[in-house]
Amino acid sequence: MNSNTEKRIALISVHGDPAIEIGKEEAGGQNVYVREVGKALAQLGWQVDMFSRKVSPEQETIVQHSPLCRTIRLTAGPEEFIPRDNGFKYLPEFVQQLLQFQRENHIMYPLVHTNYWLSSWVGMQLKAIQGSSQVHTYHSLGAVKYKAVDTIPLIATKRLAVEKQVLETAERIVATSPQEQQHMRSLVSAKGYIDVIPCGTDIAKFGSVDKQTARAELGIAQDAKVVLYVGRFDPRKGIETLVRAINESQLRDSGKLKLIIGGGFTPGNSDGRERDRIASIVEELGMSEFTTLPGRLSQDILPAYYAAADVCVVPSHYEPFGLVAIEAMASGTPVVASDVGGLQFTVVPEKTGLLVPPKDVAAFCVAIDRILMNPQWCDELGQTGRKHIEAMFSWGGVADRLSELYTQILATKLPERALVSQ
Ligand code: UDP
């Protein structure tokens, strides 16, 4: 292997395109993770190719992010949006296209880092066909997700089997929190190798603007009490809990309260329907005067929104990691979050924010009010949160740890590579 191929990696994210706009249906944390990890790895000297499925003929086939980092869109199935639960049947074509790309460009990826279960299947094929080593990040576990939803999709059996297989056969699984690791062990399999390497955030971008400037920029009164939600419109995100909690706030009729619910949607799609449902609850409860739904917030404007807020609320029913919580803390804003999954790992109760039981309207209300009604404590929580993120959750730090892991796997000679026996 020459030094070039040694530092070459493919990040595979079939349905989570790292080069598209974030914050709409099925485009959230995974897209951000892949893009930011890719860019940070390139800064460490890795040649990073990120593979995704092309979902429109207008999309560029190759997007160059930096000299060593690019997104490559492969045509597999129709060039249109396909919900992820319907994507499995296009994977064999995705594998063929990736192999063809390798042939045409005289590349062979000795290591692939796959994201979400669909991509894990692609990685397992590449391992079988050409001996590529595999690192995998789940982003979401079927075994956890299906416990929380009313209707189990047809693809569930396949997904659960693939998720078990990759845990048992990949060179390494990257869990983004100890809580996720525990779920893998208790719900998926006792076999396989897991490292905990968290998600990160851009600590230069988030935290770059102070509260006063941000409020002036966004036209928000300096004495307002601002509660912020950022994320996709998905019932799993628990936005209804937040709205009902604010309805019970002691500050509800103070004239100072402002609720901002940021997130993109497509009318008629599932996120559009959830957005309409939330908007109608807001109206029903008579909260329209102090509630805004500004739509998708671009990554450029987001630092101002986080900085302008007194508290950022993450009311998810479940969250494997939860990038929004660390983005808010990096911006010096306290977080009130559901006491679940990765949020238990990132939010330090009473130090950087508060954790409350998911779906518990009264508990969210009390926690939000505690922070809003004590401005000095609010500032302290914010400052501690910023330091916490600087110390533990920068993309640079995450990429350092992934780079070390990849190097270690690539240095292991093939016959010695630890494949757990089935
Ligand atoms: N996001 C955004 N604009 C929006 C809503 C969300 O850029 O209007 C981004 C947000 O900043 C975060 C990601 O989408 O980086 C959401 O990631 P998270 O892990 O919180 O949730 P997921 O979408 O993965 O469930």
Side-chain angles (χ1 to χ4, degrees), residues 366-378:
V366 169
I368 294 166
D369 277 358
R370 264 184 77 194
I371 295 175
L372 291 183
M373 286 158 68
N374 189 344
Q376 198 192 329
W377 189 49
C378 175

Side-chain angles (χ1 to χ4, degrees), residues 21-24 26-33 35 84 139 199-201 206 229-232 234 236-237 262-264 295-300 302 306 314 316 318-325 327 343 395:
E21 287 183 344
I22 313 295
K24 273 185 33 174
E26 297 202 356
Q30 181 180 329
N31 310 59
V32 174
Y33 176 93
R35 186 187 64 214
R84 57 185 107 174
H139 297 277
C199 293
T201 193
F206 295 111
Y229 167 88
V230 175
R232 292 176 297 117
D234 180 332
R236 178 181 75 82
K237 292 286 185 181
R296 190 183 80 85
L297 302 175
S298 76
Q299 290 274 313
D300 294 337
L302 260 176
Y306 285 124
V314 187
S316 312
Y318 180 71
E319 199 64 73
F321 185 81
L323 280 176
V324 164
E327 290 168 1
L343 299 167
W395 282 125

Side-chain angles (χ1 to χ4, degrees), residues 241-242 244-251 336 356 360-373:
T241 307
L242 167 61
R244 295 196 183 279
I246 294 299
N247 187 45
E248 290 180 13
S249 166
Q250 291 185 46
L251 294 164
V336 170
V356 294
D360 189 335
V361 170
F364 269 96
C365 173
V366 169
I368 294 166
D369 277 358
R370 264 184 77 194
I371 295 175
L372 291 183
M373 286 158 68

Side-chain angles (χ1 to χ4, degrees), residues 272-285:
R273 287 193 293 278
E274 176 65 0
R275 191 257 180 210
D276 291 348
R277 195 181 72 84
I278 296 297
S280 67
I281 297 172
V282 166
E283 207 176 306
E284 222 170 81
L285 296 175

Side-chain angles (χ1 to χ4, degrees), residues 16-73:
D17 185 330
I20 59 158
E21 287 183 344
I22 313 295
K24 273 185 33 174
E25 187 170 42
E26 297 202 356
Q30 181 180 329
N31 310 59
V32 174
Y33 176 93
V34 176
R35 186 187 64 214
E36 296 302 322
V37 160
K39 280 173 20 189
L41 285 168
Q43 285 196 340
L44 296 175
W46 288 86
Q47 293 191 49
V48 184
D49 286 344
M50 308 188 283
F51 288 92
S52 197
R53 199 183 73 82
K54 199 169 188 175
V55 300
S56 143
E58 279 89 55
Q59 285 185 321
E60 288 170 83
T61 301
I62 296 187
V63 179
Q64 197 77 40
H65 298 270
S66 64
L68 290 183
C69 178
R70 56 186 176 170
T71 292
I72 297 150
R73 295 182 173 124

Side-chain angles (χ1 to χ4, degrees), residues 6 9 51 70 81 103 107-108 119 131 179 182 184 214 248 253 266 329 345 347 352-353 368 373 392:
E6 262 169 33
I9 176 127
F51 288 92
R70 56 186 176 170
F81 171 78
R103 279 193 300 275
I107 293 172
M108 200 292 275
S119 307
Q179 289 73 12
Q182 209 188 336
M184 290 171 197
E248 290 180 13
D253 301 314
T266 307
M329 287 186 276
F345 175 50
V347 180
T352 72
I368 294 166
M373 286 158 68
M392 285 184 63

